[in-house]
Amino acid sequence: MALKKIAISFLLAFLFSSSAFANDQNEPFFKSGDAQCSIWGYASFTVGPEQDFMGAPIRARTSCTYKKFSFFMENDLSGLDSRIPANYITQAWVGYNFGKEGLIGNFFSNTTVRAGSLITAGGLYLPPAFMAISIESPNNPFQPFGYGIQFETKIMPSLTFVGDITGATGPAFNDPKRFDRTETSQRLIWDAVKDNETGRPKLQLSVSNQWSNESQRIAFGAMYRATKDFDLYGGIYRSDEHPRGGKTSIGNGGYVLADYKLWSMEGHKLDLRVMGMFNKTVGDTDYTSYSAGPSLILPKEGGYGRFGGSSVSINLSHSNTKTTQGPEITDNAIMTRVRIFF
């Protein structure tokens, strides 16, 4: 049974994290001199209309550092469920950091070079899965994973650049098609306004680009922390797809998402947040959706150790889909997600 496979994969991921490391998800399980390693992970289980309880993703993340060298690997075990395409190694790279000092005066500081299986610069258009607020993700035109080399640097303290050259970014880690073509992507992030007390970005703007001889994708993103309890996110993109031997298509889309902490239990033991999102795509398929719903979250500062950040979310959505010379479909759905950090 699929549900049994999900349970087995979650158990494997939990054992992989090991109870010996249960104090904090960033606590190293090995430390000796300049070397240290840590492991943590997360699992998201979702149920929706005409869908059994499905685990996607279920990931264990291993990171090691030695002086200026680093290693990172992310394993996705959700493919043990036959309904989910297997991609057991999403990331596996080695990196070298040149130090916090600028390479040219005060410019190009905290520069890192990575090589291996990477999450591309374009793939960062949306936050990683463990940070996803809504159950149904906004449309993302970018492919996230590929084999290649990546360069990341702070051009200035408030301006970060990430760029890479990879093979094909659609196929799984063990698919020979990953070497069929060359792609490149870039992302520029500007911390336009920072909070004076915490130093965290209050207004962050970004532009992302991904190019190959079969596609051209560009997007703009924004994040605004209006108050300590209210966050706004948004993005727009344009995608020009011209695959060899396939159909050319142009698509545009975007989303706006609001996330608000409505209530917090005394002692930071439980948070209640509410989310609302508008998501839109225009092209061969026109898609419009509205979704909203609450989340109960175990705050990281609540003393839950590795389980901090775990949550239960419910989303109610209304969507309309219309294809060129095809049917128009209107749908109303309720989805539930359980996300567990370990």
Side-chain angles (χ1 to χ4, degrees):
M1 293 177 62
L3 185 58
K4 183 178 180 181
K5 291 182 179 180
I6 294 173
I8 292 173
S9 61
F10 173 69
L11 177 62
L12 288 172
F14 186 80
L15 292 175
F16 187 62
S17 71
S18 176
S19 60
F21 320 141
N23 292 329
D24 186 87
Q25 64 186 28
N26 295 316
E27 183 74 18
F29 72 88
F30 169 80
K31 191 171 184 178
S32 176
D34 295 322
Q36 67 177 37
C37 291
S38 63
I39 301 176
W40 66 279
Y42 62 98
S44 292
F45 299 94
T46 305
V47 63
E50 302 178 2
Q51 176 182 302
D52 295 331
F53 215 42
M54 178 182 291
I58 303 172
R59 294 180 181 173
R61 298 161 64 92
T62 305
S63 59
C64 298
T65 60
Y66 175 70
K67 295 184 176 179
K68 294 184 177 183
F69 292 93
S70 57
F71 166 78
F72 179 79
M73 180 168 64
E74 181 181 72
N75 302 99
D76 191 347
L77 305 178
S78 60
L80 294 174
D81 183 344
S82 59
R83 297 170 297 174
I84 301 172
N87 189 22
Y88 297 116
I89 303 176
T90 56
Q91 298 184 69
W93 51 260
V94 293
Y96 180 82
N97 185 278
F98 289 87
K100 295 183 178 180
E101 301 80 11
L103 297 181
I104 303 175
N106 295 324
F107 298 98
F108 305 103
S109 62
N110 202 21
T111 299
T112 300
V113 176
R114 306 180 184 95
S117 182
L118 310 159
I119 184 168
T120 63
L124 298 171
Y125 166 65
L126 294 179
F130 66 88
M131 294 177 63
I133 296 171
S134 59
I135 295 178
E136 289 187 288
S137 176
N139 295 71
N140 187 354
F142 299 97
Q143 295 286 359
F145 303 116
Y147 292 123
I149 298 175
Q150 187 173 80
F151 174 83
E152 178 177 352
T153 188
K154 283 188 172 295
I155 300 174
M156 298 184 295
S158 61
L159 193 63
T160 302
F161 172 80
V162 186
D164 48 62
I165 298 176
T166 67
T169 54
F173 78 102
N174 57 349
D175 192 329
K177 292 181 180 178
R178 272 206 174 189
F179 303 97
D180 279 359
R181 64 174 181 265
T182 299
E183 299 185 16
T184 180
S185 70
Q186 305 81 36
R187 180 170 169 82
L188 191 64
I189 309 109
W190 178 35
D191 296 336
V193 180
K194 290 188 177 182
D195 187 281
N196 293 330
E197 294 183 3
T198 64
R200 297 173 61 195
K202 190 171 182 177
L203 173 62
Q204 187 178 80
L205 305 174
S206 63
V207 57
S208 304
N209 177 72
Q210 190 172 48
W211 178 89
S212 75
N213 59 4
E214 296 188 13
S215 65
Q216 171 69 59
R217 304 156 184 156
I218 188 168
F220 298 91
M223 182 279 297
Y224 177 55
R225 290 191 170 94
T227 70
K228 66 176 183 178
D229 296 328
F230 185 40
D231 297 334
L232 287 169
Y233 304 83
I236 57 173
Y237 70 83
R238 178 179 175 84
S239 175
D240 181 357
E241 309 295 326
H242 39 271
R244 290 172 292 180
K247 181 181 178 182
T248 297
S249 64
I250 295 177
N252 301 290
Y255 77 98
V256 177
L257 185 151
D259 181 37
Y260 179 65
K261 185 166 75 173
L262 185 64
W263 171 81
S264 183
M265 182 181 289
E266 186 177 353
H268 301 289
K269 293 301 180 183
L270 190 65
D271 284 351
L272 172 63
R273 303 190 72 97
V274 291
M275 177 280 304
M277 183 176 71
F278 170 74
N279 188 25
K280 176 75 173 178
T281 61
V282 179
D284 290 343
T285 299
D286 289 357
Y287 175 78
T288 304
S289 73
Y290 304 87
S291 59
S295 295
L296 283 173
I297 303 171
L298 301 180
K300 291 185 178 180
E301 62 270 29
Y304 296 102
R306 284 179 172 266
F307 295 103
S310 300
S311 62
V312 177
S313 302
I314 299 174
N315 278 188
L316 296 84
S317 66
H318 170 80
S319 64
N320 180 271
T321 306
K322 184 176 182 181
T323 57
T324 303
Q325 298 179 344
E328 183 173 352
I329 300 172
T330 299
D331 189 30
N332 297 292
I334 300 177
M335 300 187 71
T336 302
R337 178 186 68 197
V338 177
R339 181 160 60 197
I340 303 171
F341 288 90
F342 51 85

